[in-house]
Structure formats: structure tokens, C-alpha cells
Amino acid sequence: IACERLGATRVYGVATHGVFISKANEAFREKSLRKIVVTNTVRTSRLGDDIKDKVVVLDVAPLFAEAIRRLNNSGSLVSLMEIE
């Protein structure tokens, strides 16, 4: 709502962990909020069926697996985070 007051016509949200509290369903129903992107580090089961299409869940398992592999093989975590 605050973004709309400032003139936004589309709002996108991003969160590392999608721990949604009870009022999340209400907030996600705002028509200006188009999508919210979260990782699959926690389950998003508390979301109402009518707003699940607004949530994009990114799988971080491959990233975590590669980080663990590198840690066990004295590899670089810094290079893992570099965008190519």
C-alpha cells in the first residue's frame, strides 16, 4: 500500500526465507503486489490457495550442495557467488 501511495503500479517482493505470518495472506491479496520470490529453505504451507500463484519458490538445494562440496574439497565459496 505504501508503494502505491508513492506511485508504484507494480510491486515485487523478495525474501530469503518465506516465513509468512497470519497477515501475509491479506497483504498478498493487494492487487499491486504482482509476485514475491522466496527460497525453499522453509515451507510456504500457510498461504491461501487464492494467492499461491503470486509466490515463486526458488530451489536452493543445488547451491547448498555445491557449497558443501567445495567446503569439503577446500574449494572457493567466493567464486561460487560470482555471477558469470
Side-chain angles (χ1 to χ4, degrees), residues 8-9 13-14 16 19-20 28 31 34-35 39 41 44 47 51 60 67 69 72 76-77:
T9 56
V14 179
T16 304
V19 180
F20 302 118
F28 288 178
K31 60 184 171 186
R34 299 295 174 102
K35 295 281 182 191
T39 63
T41 55
T44 57
L47 296 175
I51 57 172
V60 293
R69 187 190 69 73
N72 284 318
S76 170
L77 292 181

Side-chain angles (χ1 to χ4, degrees), residues 10 15 26 54 75 78:
R10 295 183 197 144
E26 181 181 324
K54 285 189 171 187
V78 172

Side-chain angles (χ1 to χ4, degrees), residues 7-77:
T9 56
R10 295 183 197 144
V11 178
Y12 297 88
V14 179
T16 304
H17 310 293
V19 180
F20 302 118
I21 59 172
S22 60
K23 297 199 182 239
N25 287 312
E26 181 181 324
F28 288 178
R29 286 188 183 97
E30 293 292 329
K31 60 184 171 186
S32 63
L33 180 62
R34 299 295 174 102
K35 295 281 182 191
I36 183 162
V37 180
V38 297
T39 63
N40 64 342
T41 55
V42 295
R43 290 184 55 182
T44 57
S45 59
R46 291 185 175 180
L47 296 175
D49 289 336
D50 61 327
I51 57 172
K52 285 185 178 179
D53 63 329
K54 285 189 171 187
V55 178
V56 177
V57 181
L58 301 179
D59 183 14
V60 293
L63 177 64
F64 286 2
E66 180 61 18
I68 292 167
R69 187 190 69 73
R70 289 180 185 211
L71 286 170
N72 284 318
N73 295 309
S74 299
S76 170
L77 292 181

